[in-house]
Amino acid sequence: VQLQASGGGLVQAGGSLRLSCAASGRIYSSHAMGWFRQSPGKEREFVGLIRWGAGTTIYADSVKGRFTISRDKAENTVYLQMNSLKPEDTAVYYCGLSPRGASWNDREYTFWGQGTLVTVSS
């Protein structure tokens, strides 16, 4: 499976962006698609995930209520809608696929997109 992330850019605080992650190859119902982010000097952190089959989601506390993950099975694409963006959301955002299902641990994700930069100005 190959993942292609897109949609990053520069936005003012309070603004919105939508990231996309298009997958080539088969995604199974037992899989989960996750979003992670990494800021300079920090470890990659979990943002949220969606269970591919059920469509249920889990979010990190830092983004809960502001970010929404969805998926389009027909397009093999997962989305990260980011609203009310804050400067601390500035990071490179990565999508990943976990063959074992939902996990906060990035080690469970065996396929990764290339990352897309989100910069939130104050």
Side-chain angles (χ1 to χ4, degrees), residues 38-115:
Q38 188 168 23
S39 304
K42 295 186 178 181
E43 293 186 354
R44 186 158 54 186
E45 66 169 337
F46 172 77
V47 173
L49 63 85
I50 187 165
R51 297 177 176 91
W52 193 255
T56 53
T57 53
I58 300 173
Y59 298 97
D61 287 344
S62 59
V63 306
K64 201 173 294 182
R66 299 188 298 123
F67 291 10
T68 302
I69 298 174
S70 60
R71 54 109 167 85
D72 184 329
K73 282 188 168 183
E75 296 294 326
N76 249 22
T77 300
V78 63
Y79 302 98
L80 178 64
Q81 177 67 44
M82 305 184 293
N83 299 328
S84 302
L85 283 161
K86 305 174 181 179
E88 51 263 43
D89 295 318
T90 295
V92 176
Y93 284 71
Y94 298 90
C95 59
L97 186 151
S98 168
R100 295 186 178 183
S103 176
W104 294 262
N105 188 342
D106 62 354
R107 296 177 185 176
E108 295 294 330
Y109 291 76
T110 55
F111 301 96
W112 290 96
Q114 81 284 9

